[in-house]
Amino acid sequence: QLVAERLQQSWVIQILFPWSRVGPTRTMSSESVLESTGWIPEWVRAMITTGSARELRGTAGLLDWEQRLWQRLVGIGIPIDTIVEKMNAAASGTSLDSRMSMIVLGHTLGVVMAWAVVTYTPRSLQRSALFGSARMFLRMAKVVFFICIELVVFPVVCGYCLDVSLMPLLASASIGARVQELLAHRWAALFTHWLLGLLFMVHFARFVLHCRHVMRPGLLWFIRDPNDPEFHPMREILEDRMLPQQYNIARSALMYCGIILACVGLSMTLAARTAPSVFPMQWRGDARFGDHPTGILLMVFLLPVAVMWGRPNEVLHALFSRWWRVAARATRLSEFVLGERSIVDEGEWTLRRMPWLPVLAPRLWMPTDVVERVFNEFDAVDEARAGPVPGALPTHEYYVQLQCAIDAALAQNPLQVTFTLGSGGNFRVPTVDTVPVVPGRIMLVQVDGHGRPVNSRYDYEAADDVDLRDAAEREGRVLPPPAPESSYRDRRFRREHYTVVYVPPGLRARMCGVLAMGWLAVAVLSSSTLVLSLIIGRRTYARISNLPMHDMYALSIGLLVLLIVAVLVFRLATFLHNVAANSWAEWTRELRRRAVLAWTAAWKAALTAAVFFGAVPAVYGLVVEVYFVVLLRHMAASPEVEVAFERTMLQAMAHNWMFGVLHVWVGLSLLRVFPALWWSRQLERLFTGPPHTWHVGRSILVFALPLIGVSVATAALPFAVAACIMWYRGELTADAMLRAFRLVDLDVLALSVKAVLGTVLIVAATWQACLLYRKWSQSARDRAYLVGHQLHNLDEPAENISAETTADVPATV
């Protein structure tokens, strides 16, 4: 109550509402405050003064003016009573929502308090522990805030954008259904969309890496390169201001959302409109691939192996590389986009008889070979590109001499055409993706015939160099301000970070054309792949299974088939291209060598698959059946469990083999995680390189035979113990052992399994205890030796110690 009374004093009102006119009264009511706020519109004032007629909740213990304030807040649409009630319930609740809301609220209040301490602490107290702790807490909160945005918020937003983009493929998908699902299962929905968005961000990063390899270095300077040695994100977060960083984050978020909606959303809409008989997709939660766990086998084993063998990234890299080259040549941006100078892009074709008619696709029917031949034989170089080297000419003179040579060559051509140079201009652009970005400076600067900026306001080289800046000021040129200093990066202009390229007129329109052709390629490739995969997968699924259709399995099968076909076609085309460049004898020799390598790789891969994914999982499946299934059936003896495990011998073997394959695959993945192990080193040595170089025989001796022997011995040990128990009881007969082998009589066999597992645990615990005792005894002996050695030195007489010390000191004159 005392705090509430203090908040109604006139000086508090003057601080909170400086535009109000408060008299010298001690207190002031809320009505007088509202009357003094004449800047509020009439409809807002009516809402504030009228309030709401509904009864407030949770007003026990509030003062009259607080209740009136709550009533007016509710009237303008702020349910303050509901918010306070939910916060009180969250403070005493135990659900995940309550805990997360309290964690966020607590951290927010902590950040506000630390900010207040850092902001309003006097200079004389800024060396105190409280100020240092608050400042360190703010830095930690800033780092955690940006990390959460990058790793949590970004993927979730990308996941929901992908969800919205994929809605045309589903029958009952809508924004309202997604909102209801989020409200009903918020954490599961958030995790699903976070995982989906994270996968998209990873693949988009790989696509950007592909673009960096194909395109000209420096074209993607606006996308930060993680391989930049001068890229320090944590340092930038700590030292840079908050608003520019939030602006960059918002720009990146808009870029990601735009790319997803434009590329994925429009592509899926195009696929749904193009093939209406294929969509919507059939998504059944109760559908299965078969009675065996072949779905897991397909997702975990077959598809990863096919991706490792086929390497679809190489196929996509080759396709998109050729497509980017076609798009750059069609828009005359070969040098600007790819970094490959083409003299054909630096001029325009015209027909002598019809000069008003534009020439479309000149590379297809114009004599471009004549122009390229003249350019390759031309001796002079452009000074704007090569710099002041001997034989270099300014751009205008260079184009005049080259134009004369091209006109003389085209005069002998029967096609009456002309080629005119110099329709665009030379521009200075970044030549590395790690170029430092200075706010306020542009990256695309037009240069003159000597390679210097046309406008001195963009002469950043002279602005950052002291000597050049003094010379420019003496000449009266207007230069831009120098680059600001940075504690973690040198932002000054460096000549090696830039180069000069030709840029045709209408650069923005041409870049939009390149991006449109890139989008067209992505849309056509993704939509056609999706449609063909569903068609092939549905037909294959209908032939191999009579169960209800599930498009996830159909899509996986179709993608597997398309991957195999695409890789085979790509490798065949590559082989024929290499063969066409050689003679007949070399082609025959290469074909014979490839056939031998293919045969060697085929039988080694088949033998490796038969041993490590056939025999080893089958024998390992016996161990799983004896030690896991037997105990589960015996300990959970119920009709439901018996029905679940009711299967034939062939089905049991198939199930155990499939689970064995999964365990082998998991084991291989774990060995890759720990490369220092002896097994990992042997695996790397025996299976490094293509299949025809594998050491299959030694791998069977090192890996397969020990695994098979240990698995057989482990699976046979409970049966041996069961036979001993039956012999001790006088029940050992051939029929009893046969029932045990068929896993019909589980009492004795389960007892044997328990005895074996208990013995193994006791032996392992004893062995670990012996090892610990050995280490402890060794450390105890070492400590006793050190203590005895020190006591022995202390027991020596002082005279002996001084004599020994004197003898050790060299004599001096």
Side-chain angles (χ1 to χ4, degrees):
Q1 293 178 0
L2 181 61
V3 174
E5 292 177 0
R6 292 292 184 183
L7 291 177
Q8 284 187 300
Q9 293 185 5
S10 58
W11 64 274
V12 177
I13 300 298
Q14 289 179 359
I15 292 177
L16 297 178
F17 304 97
W19 54 85
S20 63
R21 297 179 180 179
V22 184
T25 57
R26 184 175 183 276
T27 60
M28 183 177 182
S29 62
S30 57
E31 288 82 359
S32 59
V33 174
L34 291 175
E35 290 176 0
S36 62
T37 53
W39 58 276
I40 301 178
E42 291 295 332
W43 63 275
V44 178
R45 292 173 58 85
M47 290 180 60
I48 296 176
T49 54
T50 303
S52 177
R54 73 175 179 87
E55 184 179 357
L56 298 178
R57 295 176 295 179
T59 58
L62 296 179
L63 299 177
D64 294 338
W65 71 272
E66 291 176 334
Q67 294 184 7
R68 293 194 300 270
L69 179 61
W70 280 30
Q71 190 70 46
R72 286 173 182 138
L73 289 176
V74 171
I76 64 175
I78 302 177
I80 184 64
D81 56 343
T82 307
I83 294 174
V84 173
E85 185 178 3
K86 288 185 177 181
M87 294 303 295
N88 292 330
S92 60
T94 59
S95 62
L96 184 59
D97 296 341
S98 302
R99 293 178 178 177
M100 291 299 298
S101 59
M102 288 296 101
I103 288 173
V104 173
L105 180 60
H107 282 78
T108 304
L109 292 177
V111 169
V112 172
M113 294 171 61
W115 173 82
V117 171
V118 172
T119 304
Y120 296 105
T121 299
R123 184 179 298 273
S124 60
L125 299 178
Q126 289 185 359
R127 293 186 178 181
S128 61
L130 179 61
F131 181 83
S133 301
R135 189 174 182 180
M136 182 61 66
F137 179 77
L138 282 180
R139 291 181 177 180
M140 293 173 58
K142 187 178 181 181
V143 172
V144 171
F145 173 74
F146 282 103
I147 290 177
C148 289
I149 288 180
E150 292 287 345
L151 299 182
V152 179
V153 179
F154 260 24
V156 170
V157 173
C158 292
Y160 276 102
C161 290
L162 282 173
D163 195 356
V164 173
S165 302
L166 296 176
M167 282 183 182
L169 306 181
L170 304 177
S172 59
S174 63
I175 302 295
R178 291 295 183 268
V179 173
Q180 294 179 1
E181 180 184 0
L182 176 61
L183 297 177
H185 311 282
R186 57 178 63 89
W187 296 110
L190 286 174
F191 176 76
T192 304
H193 289 87
W194 173 80
L195 185 60
L196 185 63
L198 191 64
L199 292 176
F200 170 79
M201 292 179 66
V202 170
H203 286 83
F204 182 76
R206 299 183 66 176
F207 178 75
V208 172
L209 183 61
H210 153 76
C211 293
R212 291 187 191 276
H213 290 166
V214 175
M215 296 180 178
R216 176 182 60 82
L219 182 64
L220 302 178
W221 60 269
F222 51 89
I223 300 179
R224 299 299 297 268
D225 187 5
N227 298 323
D228 185 5
E230 297 183 358
F231 178 47
H232 306 286
M234 292 299 174
R235 196 169 180 179
E236 292 182 5
I237 289 175
L238 291 175
E239 297 184 2
D240 292 350
R241 293 184 303 170
M242 195 79 171
L243 290 179
Q245 293 177 357
Q246 292 180 353
Y247 171 74
N248 294 332
I249 289 175
R251 185 180 60 182
S252 301
L254 291 177
M255 182 187 70
Y256 272 98
C257 295
I259 289 174
I260 293 173
L261 296 177
C263 295
V264 182
L266 293 179
S267 302
M268 297 302 102
T269 304
L270 177 63
R273 298 291 179 85
T274 305
S277 60
V278 179
F279 301 100
M281 297 181 65
Q282 301 176 16
W283 194 278
R284 295 174 56 93
D286 57 345
R288 297 177 300 167
F289 190 76
D291 295 333
H292 308 292
T294 50
I296 300 177
L297 191 65
L298 177 65
M299 298 294 181
V300 179
F301 178 68
L302 290 181
L303 282 179
V305 170
V307 171
M308 291 174 59
W309 166 78
R311 296 190 295 274
N313 293 331
E314 296 182 0
V315 182
L316 295 177
H317 180 78
L319 290 177
F320 276 98
S321 299
R322 287 170 172 78
W323 184 255
W324 287 125
R325 185 167 283 102
V326 170
R329 289 183 176 180
T331 55
R332 296 173 57 190
L333 294 176
S334 298
E335 189 176 10
F336 184 78
V337 174
L338 302 177
E340 302 173 355
R341 184 180 183 183
S342 178
I343 192 61
V344 179
D345 295 338
E346 300 182 17
E348 296 180 353
W349 294 89
T350 55
L351 300 175
R352 294 180 180 177
R353 297 182 179 180
M354 294 178 291
W356 48 268
L357 183 65
V359 178
L360 302 178
R363 292 181 180 272
L364 299 179
W365 57 289
M366 284 292 169
T368 57
D369 55 335
V370 177
V371 177
E372 292 177 353
R373 187 182 70 251
V374 172
F375 172 72
N376 294 330
E377 296 175 355
F378 196 64
D379 296 334
V381 293
D382 189 1
E383 185 180 354
R385 301 169 183 267
V389 297
L393 300 175
T395 303
H396 178 70
E397 299 180 8
Y398 174 80
Y399 275 156
V400 168
Q401 297 185 13
L402 183 59
Q403 184 70 56
C404 296
I406 292 175
D407 293 341
L410 290 178
Q412 303 175 2
N413 192 279
L415 192 61
Q416 299 296 321
V417 294
T418 58
F419 183 76
T420 306
L421 290 170
S423 57
N426 292 332
F427 283 77
R428 186 184 64 197
V429 296
T431 188
V432 291
D433 293 327
T434 59
V435 60
V437 180
V438 179
R441 291 189 174 184
I442 61 177
M443 293 295 178
L444 194 65
V445 178
Q446 187 177 6
V447 297
D448 56 12
H450 302 281
R452 295 188 295 267
V454 175
N455 194 339
S456 61
R457 292 182 301 173
Y458 305 125
D459 193 356
Y460 305 129
E461 183 179 8
D464 294 340
D465 189 274
V466 178
D467 298 335
L468 295 179
R469 186 177 186 86
D470 294 340
E473 290 177 353
R474 287 194 298 269
E475 295 176 2
R477 292 191 299 160
V478 180
L479 296 179
E485 296 183 359
S486 177
S487 60
Y488 56 87
R489 187 164 194 176
D490 186 8
R491 294 184 174 181
R492 291 177 299 178
F493 181 90
R494 295 182 183 177
R495 184 181 294 271
E496 60 270 14
H497 287 170
Y498 297 87
T499 186
V500 176
V501 299
Y502 171 79
V503 176
L507 177 62
R508 293 184 178 180
R510 296 178 188 275
M511 285 302 302
C512 291
V514 172
L515 295 177
M517 295 182 70
W519 172 85
L520 180 63
V522 172
V524 172
L525 182 62
S526 58
S527 58
S528 59
T529 301
L530 180 62
V531 172
L532 291 177
S533 300
L534 285 175
I535 294 175
I536 297 173
R538 286 175 180 176
R539 293 185 179 181
T540 308
Y541 185 87
R543 289 181 178 273
I544 63 178
S545 176
N546 296 324
L547 297 172
M549 181 65 67
H550 195 302
D551 277 339
M552 178 56 68
Y553 297 125
L555 182 62
S556 302
I557 296 173
L559 287 176
L560 183 62
V561 174
L562 285 182
L563 175 62
I564 295 174
V565 173
V567 169
L568 291 178
V569 171
F570 173 73
R571 293 189 177 181
L572 180 60
T574 305
F575 173 73
L576 294 179
H577 175 73
N578 296 334
V579 165
N582 300 325
S583 61
W584 176 258
E586 294 179 354
W587 179 81
T588 306
R589 193 182 306 109
E590 180 68 17
L591 184 61
R592 188 183 301 110
R593 188 182 68 85
R594 290 293 182 91
V596 173
L597 293 180
W599 166 249
T600 306
W603 75 262
K604 285 189 176 183
L607 184 58
T608 303
V611 173
F612 288 95
F613 295 100
V616 173
V619 178
Y620 177 77
L622 297 177
V623 179
V624 176
E625 182 76 19
V626 172
Y627 285 89
F628 179 73
V629 179
V630 169
L631 283 181
L632 183 61
R633 292 175 59 185
H634 184 264
M635 296 175 64
S638 61
E640 292 81 5
V641 176
E642 292 297 333
V643 170
F645 285 99
E646 185 178 353
R647 52 189 179 170
T648 62
M649 184 63 68
L650 182 61
Q651 290 177 347
M653 292 176 61
H655 288 175
N656 296 333
W657 174 78
M658 289 183 182
F659 282 114
V661 169
L662 295 179
H663 282 91
V664 169
W665 187 257
V666 171
L668 293 175
S669 302
L670 290 178
L671 288 179
R672 294 192 187 98
V673 176
F674 303 99
L677 297 177
W678 180 84
W679 293 76
S680 302
R681 295 196 304 269
Q682 292 293 326
L683 187 68
E684 184 71 20
R685 185 172 64 88
L686 297 175
F687 291 99
T688 300
H692 66 271
T693 61
W694 292 353
H695 303 278
V696 180
R698 185 169 179 80
S699 64
I700 293 175
L701 294 176
V702 174
F703 289 100
L705 292 182
L707 291 175
I708 292 175
V710 172
S711 300
V712 170
T714 305
L717 187 58
F719 292 99
V721 176
C724 294
I725 294 175
M726 290 179 184
W727 174 79
Y728 179 76
R729 294 178 178 179
E731 301 174 357
L732 183 58
T733 59
D735 184 57
M737 288 301 299
L738 185 60
R739 290 173 59 84
F741 277 118
R742 291 182 176 179
L743 304 181
V744 177
D745 188 4
L746 300 179
D747 296 333
V748 179
L749 188 58
L751 181 61
S752 304
V753 171
K754 293 178 182 179
V756 171
L757 292 178
T759 305
V760 170
L761 290 177
I762 293 173
V763 172
T766 306
W767 177 257
Q768 290 296 326
C770 293
L771 292 179
L772 290 176
Y773 174 75
R774 183 179 300 177
K775 291 182 179 179
W776 174 80
S777 60
Q778 182 66 30
S779 62
R781 285 195 297 268
D782 293 341
R783 288 197 301 269
Y785 173 76
L786 292 176
V787 171
H789 187 68
Q790 293 176 0
L791 294 175
H792 176 71
N793 292 336
L794 291 175
D795 291 339
E796 292 183 358
E799 294 80 1
N800 298 337
I801 297 176
S802 60
E804 292 177 359
T805 306
T806 306
D808 294 336
V809 176
T812 58
V813 178

